[in-house]
Amino acid sequence: MIYTTCPHCGHVFQIKRDTFSIAGMNSIIDQRLKEGTYFTHICQKCKQPFYLFHPFLYRDPVLKYILILSQQKSFESLPEDEKIIVCKNVNQFLFSYKVLSQQLNLKFIFEKKKTLENRIHHPVKFDSYDSINQCLWFYKNQQPIALKLKEVEIEKVYDRINTL
């Protein structure tokens, strides 16, 4: 059980949530991570949605990555042959999941996201890479934005470590 407080009304409650998942183990968790709704909770008292932060470890042994949502800095007994990404907040975790689950280069996509946000002066959410049109898709307030890549950038999109 996880104790939490609604950031809108201050309602204190406890909720049962998984703190560990392996890719393909639970299709509901996988789907909600893909949709970006896994950490979303609606307060029973004020009915306002918010992100429910709780420690969570997600492992994809096929793509060889582990995502950890935690304020903790060090971890023991993790596989050395897998990429380990520690996220301090839900948005970092969901972004990293979106990128890594598509076998894309996390650093490159993050840089393109920041460049786009600086250009339009608004936060965006990464969605996917369109290999046919060679563009990255983002959302700004539920409106899609395509970011066309230059020819020299296309080879940087995929995480070559995981795709070889």
Side-chain angles (χ1 to χ4, degrees), residues 141-153:
N141 295 335
Q142 300 178 336
Q143 294 296 315
I145 299 173
L147 181 63
K148 182 79 171 151
L149 297 178
K150 298 172 187 167
E151 197 65 37
V152 295
E153 294 176 315

PDB file of all heavy atoms in Angstrom, residues 141-153:
ATOM      1  N   ASN A 141      -0.221  20.369 -26.086  1.00  0.00           N
ATOM      2  CA  ASN A 141      -1.652  20.496 -25.734  1.00  0.00           C
ATOM      3  C   ASN A 141      -2.531  19.645 -26.648  1.00  0.00           C
ATOM      4  O   ASN A 141      -3.507  20.120 -27.216  1.00  0.00           O
ATOM      5  CB  ASN A 141      -2.103  21.952 -25.797  1.00  0.00           C
ATOM      6  CG  ASN A 141      -1.415  22.807 -24.769  1.00  0.00           C
ATOM      7  OD1 ASN A 141      -0.970  22.315 -23.739  1.00  0.00           O
ATOM      8  ND2 ASN A 141      -1.308  24.088 -25.041  1.00  0.00           N
ATOM      9  N   GLN A 142      -2.171  18.409 -26.834  1.00  0.00           N
ATOM     10  CA  GLN A 142      -2.912  17.428 -27.630  1.00  0.00           C
ATOM     11  C   GLN A 142      -2.928  17.732 -29.128  1.00  0.00           C
ATOM     12  O   GLN A 142      -3.655  17.088 -29.879  1.00  0.00           O
ATOM     13  CB  GLN A 142      -4.333  17.251 -27.091  1.00  0.00           C
ATOM     14  CG  GLN A 142      -4.336  16.767 -25.656  1.00  0.00           C
ATOM     15  CD  GLN A 142      -5.720  16.623 -25.074  1.00  0.00           C
ATOM     16  OE1 GLN A 142      -6.669  17.257 -25.527  1.00  0.00           O
ATOM     17  NE2 GLN A 142      -5.844  15.775 -24.071  1.00  0.00           N
ATOM     18  N   GLN A 143      -2.136  18.693 -29.582  1.00  0.00           N
ATOM     19  CA  GLN A 143      -2.007  18.992 -31.001  1.00  0.00           C
ATOM     20  C   GLN A 143      -0.690  18.395 -31.502  1.00  0.00           C
ATOM     21  O   GLN A 143       0.366  18.675 -30.936  1.00  0.00           O
ATOM     22  CB  GLN A 143      -2.017  20.513 -31.249  1.00  0.00           C
ATOM     23  CG  GLN A 143      -3.325  21.177 -30.910  1.00  0.00           C
ATOM     24  CD  GLN A 143      -4.457  20.679 -31.797  1.00  0.00           C
ATOM     25  OE1 GLN A 143      -4.314  20.553 -33.002  1.00  0.00           O
ATOM     26  NE2 GLN A 143      -5.594  20.380 -31.189  1.00  0.00           N
ATOM     27  N   PRO A 144      -0.735  17.582 -32.561  1.00  0.00           N
ATOM     28  CA  PRO A 144       0.500  16.962 -33.048  1.00  0.00           C
ATOM     29  C   PRO A 144       1.424  17.974 -33.726  1.00  0.00           C
ATOM     30  O   PRO A 144       0.972  18.916 -34.379  1.00  0.00           O
ATOM     31  CB  PRO A 144      -0.005  15.932 -34.055  1.00  0.00           C
ATOM     32  CG  PRO A 144      -1.347  16.413 -34.473  1.00  0.00           C
ATOM     33  CD  PRO A 144      -1.914  17.183 -33.319  1.00  0.00           C
ATOM     34  N   ILE A 145       2.723  17.754 -33.527  1.00  0.00           N
ATOM     35  CA  ILE A 145       3.759  18.562 -34.166  1.00  0.00           C
ATOM     36  C   ILE A 145       4.788  17.598 -34.748  1.00  0.00           C
ATOM     37  O   ILE A 145       5.308  16.737 -34.034  1.00  0.00           O
ATOM     38  CB  ILE A 145       4.476  19.489 -33.160  1.00  0.00           C
ATOM     39  CG1 ILE A 145       3.506  20.470 -32.522  1.00  0.00           C
ATOM     40  CG2 ILE A 145       5.619  20.237 -33.839  1.00  0.00           C
ATOM     41  CD1 ILE A 145       4.127  21.287 -31.404  1.00  0.00           C
ATOM     42  N   ALA A 146       5.067  17.738 -36.029  1.00  0.00           N
ATOM     43  CA  ALA A 146       6.095  16.929 -36.682  1.00  0.00           C
ATOM     44  C   ALA A 146       7.386  17.728 -36.748  1.00  0.00           C
ATOM     45  O   ALA A 146       7.379  18.894 -37.153  1.00  0.00           O
ATOM     46  CB  ALA A 146       5.652  16.533 -38.077  1.00  0.00           C
ATOM     47  N   LEU A 147       8.482  17.106 -36.353  1.00  0.00           N
ATOM     48  CA  LEU A 147       9.791  17.737 -36.437  1.00  0.00           C
ATOM     49  C   LEU A 147      10.608  16.956 -37.461  1.00  0.00           C
ATOM     50  O   LEU A 147      11.060  15.845 -37.193  1.00  0.00           O
ATOM     51  CB  LEU A 147      10.470  17.729 -35.067  1.00  0.00           C
ATOM     52  CG  LEU A 147      11.840  18.375 -34.980  1.00  0.00           C
ATOM     53  CD1 LEU A 147      11.754  19.870 -35.298  1.00  0.00           C
ATOM     54  CD2 LEU A 147      12.434  18.164 -33.596  1.00  0.00           C
ATOM     55  N   LYS A 148      10.720  17.513 -38.649  1.00  0.00           N
ATOM     56  CA  LYS A 148      11.448  16.872 -39.749  1.00  0.00           C
ATOM     57  C   LYS A 148      12.933  16.843 -39.418  1.00  0.00           C
ATOM     58  O   LYS A 148      13.507  17.845 -39.000  1.00  0.00           O
ATOM     59  CB  LYS A 148      11.199  17.657 -41.042  1.00  0.00           C
ATOM     60  CG  LYS A 148      11.852  17.059 -42.261  1.00  0.00           C
ATOM     61  CD  LYS A 148      11.065  15.901 -42.776  1.00  0.00           C
ATOM     62  CE  LYS A 148      11.618  15.468 -44.136  1.00  0.00           C
ATOM     63  NZ  LYS A 148      11.431  14.082 -44.387  1.00  0.00           N
ATOM     64  N   LEU A 149      13.553  15.682 -39.621  1.00  0.00           N
ATOM     65  CA  LEU A 149      14.975  15.536 -39.340  1.00  0.00           C
ATOM     66  C   LEU A 149      15.801  15.802 -40.597  1.00  0.00           C
ATOM     67  O   LEU A 149      15.363  15.509 -41.713  1.00  0.00           O
ATOM     68  CB  LEU A 149      15.278  14.137 -38.820  1.00  0.00           C
ATOM     69  CG  LEU A 149      14.614  13.755 -37.503  1.00  0.00           C
ATOM     70  CD1 LEU A 149      14.966  12.329 -37.125  1.00  0.00           C
ATOM     71  CD2 LEU A 149      15.008  14.709 -36.396  1.00  0.00           C
ATOM     72  N   LYS A 150      16.991  16.340 -40.371  1.00  0.00           N
ATOM     73  CA  LYS A 150      17.937  16.526 -41.463  1.00  0.00           C
ATOM     74  C   LYS A 150      18.533  15.174 -41.801  1.00  0.00           C
ATOM     75  O   LYS A 150      18.574  14.260 -40.963  1.00  0.00           O
ATOM     76  CB  LYS A 150      19.029  17.504 -41.051  1.00  0.00           C
ATOM     77  CG  LYS A 150      18.496  18.883 -40.723  1.00  0.00           C
ATOM     78  CD  LYS A 150      19.593  19.752 -40.145  1.00  0.00           C
ATOM     79  CE  LYS A 150      19.001  21.065 -39.670  1.00  0.00           C
ATOM     80  NZ  LYS A 150      19.913  21.827 -38.835  1.00  0.00           N
ATOM     81  N   GLU A 151      19.039  15.039 -42.993  1.00  0.00           N
ATOM     82  CA  GLU A 151      19.616  13.772 -43.451  1.00  0.00           C
ATOM     83  C   GLU A 151      20.704  13.263 -42.500  1.00  0.00           C
ATOM     84  O   GLU A 151      20.753  12.071 -42.201  1.00  0.00           O
ATOM     85  CB  GLU A 151      20.196  13.956 -44.860  1.00  0.00           C
ATOM     86  CG  GLU A 151      20.440  12.677 -45.594  1.00  0.00           C
ATOM     87  CD  GLU A 151      19.184  11.888 -45.914  1.00  0.00           C
ATOM     88  OE1 GLU A 151      18.151  12.489 -46.225  1.00  0.00           O
ATOM     89  OE2 GLU A 151      19.245  10.647 -45.845  1.00  0.00           O
ATOM     90  N   VAL A 152      21.539  14.160 -41.999  1.00  0.00           N
ATOM     91  CA  VAL A 152      22.633  13.751 -41.102  1.00  0.00           C
ATOM     92  C   VAL A 152      22.133  13.317 -39.726  1.00  0.00           C
ATOM     93  O   VAL A 152      22.849  12.653 -38.978  1.00  0.00           O
ATOM     94  CB  VAL A 152      23.695  14.870 -40.946  1.00  0.00           C
ATOM     95  CG1 VAL A 152      24.398  15.144 -42.255  1.00  0.00           C
ATOM     96  CG2 VAL A 152      23.083  16.125 -40.371  1.00  0.00           C
ATOM     97  N   GLU A 153      20.910  13.680 -39.367  1.00  0.00           N
ATOM     98  CA  GLU A 153      20.364  13.327 -38.054  1.00  0.00           C
ATOM     99  C   GLU A 153      19.705  11.947 -38.033  1.00  0.00           C
ATOM    100  O   GLU A 153      19.575  11.343 -36.973  1.00  0.00           O
ATOM    101  CB  GLU A 153      19.316  14.362 -37.624  1.00  0.00           C
ATOM    102  CG  GLU A 153      19.885  15.737 -37.384  1.00  0.00           C
ATOM    103  CD  GLU A 153      18.811  16.753 -37.057  1.00  0.00           C
ATOM    104  OE1 GLU A 153      17.764  16.777 -37.739  1.00  0.00           O
ATOM    105  OE2 GLU A 153      19.025  17.531 -36.106  1.00  0.00           O
TER     106      GLU A 153
END
